[in-house]
């Protein structure tokens, strides 16, 4: 029976180890909690972070567009401006694949042709009333442009995949090797187009496909939520310590400093710093896009904000500082 129990214990240990390796984020936090528990001389148990939906419904994120088609009669009147093939092609493509990206490109092309024609109207349209149609077309497309820019991000199918709420949190190695999944490139293309650069549909769609390839945005948000959740638990445990108040002070202080330097400073803090940087960059990119369009979209269904992790990290560093100070240990590296 004893041999059987020992074998069962070994098997369970292997299963647990494999489980941790399959979840690098859980592994690093469980290891840190275990080592911190030895310092505090009490077991520390981390609870899972509650899953949440990240995005509001797409209907809530989508800006309603006014009528996008231009009637055939109006299009024919603008024939000398070179707009007829463009308008006809757009009318035929509405409702098909990638309508927002395609209409963005169309809108930019239509505005360029219409503005050029309005600035120097061909003789064939002078005095025909077509100039009024040009003026209306320009005003309409100018009003649609920021709406289309907003929908190309917050209401796009790629955005749903990018923020798929089931995405797993990242471990230390993944944190350093994971970028923003192409969102920065996609938004850079849209921002350049908003500033006047020519928008190429193929380049825009390729960038959108990179965004859709993985739930990178949700990965960063869930990683920050997990870190903040665990930091709050571990900070409370450190704050409640009763160490370094008796003859074992040197021993307790040595272990505390060892874990602080070898685990927190060398492993946990660099991960937190990268999480902070990526989360802030993600938030900055999307906030800047909303500022460019002038349209504020209620896209986030949870209360996530990158400042929350920074505040939790500072509180945790302060708890360590107070613990080491209580043990009479100078802090060589500023938390």
């Amino acid at each position: 029976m004893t041999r059987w129990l020992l074998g069962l214990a070994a098997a369970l240990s292997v299963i647990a180890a494999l489980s941790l390796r399959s979840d690098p984020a859980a592994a690093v936090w469980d290891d840190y909690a275990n080592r911190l528990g030895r310092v505090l001389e009490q077991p520390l148990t981390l609870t899972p972070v509650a899953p949440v939906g990240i995005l509001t419904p797409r209907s809530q994120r989508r800006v309603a567009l006014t009528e996008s088609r231009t009637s055939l009669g109006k299009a024919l009147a603008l024939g000398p401006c070179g707009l007829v093939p463009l308008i006809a092609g757009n009318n035929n493509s509405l409702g098909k694949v990638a309508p927002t990206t395609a209409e963005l490109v169309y809108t930019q092309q239509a505005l360029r042709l219409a503005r050029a024609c309005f600035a120097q109207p061909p003789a064939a349209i002078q005095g025909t009333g077509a100039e009024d149609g040009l003026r209306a077309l320009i005003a309409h497309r100018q009003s649609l442009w920021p709406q289309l820019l907003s929908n190309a991000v917050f209401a796009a199918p790629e955005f749903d995949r990018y923020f798929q709420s089931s995405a797993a949190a990242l471990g230390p190695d993944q944190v350093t090797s994971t970028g923003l999944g192409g969102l920065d490139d996609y938004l850079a293309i849209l921002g350049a187009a908003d500033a006047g650069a020519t928008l190429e549909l193929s380049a825009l769609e390729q960038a959108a496909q990179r965004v859709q390839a993985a739930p990178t945005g949700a990965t960063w948000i869930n990683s920050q939520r997990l870190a903040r959740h665990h930091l709050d638990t571990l900070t409370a445990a450190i704050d409640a310590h009763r160490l370094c108040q008796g003859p074992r002070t040197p021993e307790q202080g040595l272990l505390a400093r060892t874990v602080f330097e070898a685990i927190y400073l060398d492993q946990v803090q660099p991960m937190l710093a990268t999480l902070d940087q990526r989360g802030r960059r993600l938030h900055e990119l999307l906030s800047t896009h909303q500022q460019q369009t002038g349209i504020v979209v209620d896209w986030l269904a949870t209360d996530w904000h990158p400042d929350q992790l920074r505040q939790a990290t500072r509180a945790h560093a302060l708890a360590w500082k107070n613990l080491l100070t209580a043990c009479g240990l100078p802090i060589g590296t500023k938390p």
Side-chain angles (χ1 to χ4, degrees):
M1 178 64 72
T2 301
R3 292 179 61 187
W4 181 83
L5 289 174
L6 289 173
L8 177 61
L12 291 174
S13 298
V14 171
I15 292 173
L18 290 173
S19 175
L20 288 178
R21 281 197 292 271
S22 66
D23 189 346
V28 69
W29 285 109
D30 285 343
D31 179 68
Y32 181 41
N34 180 52
R35 293 173 187 270
L36 183 56
R38 295 177 190 175
V39 171
L40 301 177
E41 300 178 352
Q42 65 179 54
L44 297 178
T45 302
L46 298 178
T47 58
V49 63
V52 297
I54 293 177
L55 294 178
T56 56
R58 191 189 297 181
S59 59
Q60 189 172 328
R61 292 178 271 123
R62 182 174 181 81
V63 180
L65 304 178
T66 52
E67 175 62 43
S68 296
R69 294 177 184 268
T70 300
S71 69
L72 182 59
K74 290 180 180 179
L76 291 175
L78 300 176
C81 298
L83 284 160
V84 173
L86 191 64
I87 292 172
N90 177 71
N91 287 350
N92 290 334
S93 69
L94 289 177
K96 297 181 180 180
V97 178
T100 302
T101 52
E103 194 162 358
L104 266 173
V105 174
Y106 160 73
T107 294
Q108 186 184 68
Q109 293 172 343
L111 280 171
R112 286 181 174 176
L113 286 174
R115 285 167 177 162
C117 191
F118 187 79
Q120 294 183 328
I125 70 170
Q126 294 179 16
T128 65
E131 290 168 291
D132 293 335
L134 272 176
R135 189 181 292 107
L137 175 65
I138 292 171
H140 180 225
R141 283 291 147 184
Q142 283 180 161
S143 69
L144 284 177
W145 179 256
Q147 299 170 355
L148 292 169
L149 279 178
S150 179
N151 287 344
V153 177
F154 296 105
E158 295 84 1
F159 199 69
D160 290 359
R161 167 62 174 161
Y162 189 76
F163 283 107
Q164 186 175 321
S165 59
S166 60
L170 300 172
D173 293 338
Q174 297 166 313
V175 162
T176 58
S177 63
T178 301
L180 290 174
L183 181 68
D184 42 356
D185 296 333
Y186 182 65
L187 291 178
I189 292 174
L190 294 179
D194 191 45
T198 300
L199 192 57
E200 299 290 344
L201 183 58
S202 60
L204 183 61
E205 289 182 336
Q206 288 174 12
Q209 288 169 7
R210 285 189 58 205
V211 173
Q212 193 175 26
T216 311
T219 293
W220 287 116
I221 288 181
N222 287 341
S223 298
Q224 283 209 348
R225 293 182 63 247
L226 181 70
R228 179 165 60 96
H229 177 74
H230 290 336
L231 281 175
D232 288 346
T233 298
L234 299 178
T235 299
I238 297 175
D239 285 339
H241 81 87
R242 294 293 183 269
L243 300 180
C244 300
Q245 298 180 5
R248 295 181 58 238
T249 292
E251 172 192 345
Q252 292 173 328
L254 178 61
L255 180 58
R257 186 177 187 111
T258 299
V259 171
F260 172 72
E261 293 180 345
I263 306 301
Y264 178 70
L265 288 183
D266 288 352
Q267 298 180 23
V268 177
Q269 192 182 59
M271 179 180 70
L272 292 174
T274 304
L275 283 176
D276 177 74
Q277 292 168 2
R278 293 287 194 276
R280 301 188 86 77
R281 181 58 178 156
L282 176 63
H283 187 269
E284 176 190 18
L285 284 170
L286 295 173
S287 297
T288 299
H289 185 69
Q290 293 198 88
Q291 292 169 7
Q292 288 174 340
T293 63
I295 299 172
V296 177
V297 176
D298 184 18
W299 65 273
L300 196 59
T302 181
D303 66 346
W304 170 79
H305 191 283
D307 285 348
Q308 296 165 334
L309 177 61
R310 181 167 290 189
Q311 292 165 2
T313 301
R314 288 173 175 168
H316 192 70
L318 179 60
W320 263 115
K321 179 179 180 180
N322 293 337
L323 170 59
L324 295 175
T325 300
C327 293
L329 297 171
I331 301 178
T333 303
K334 186 177 181 180

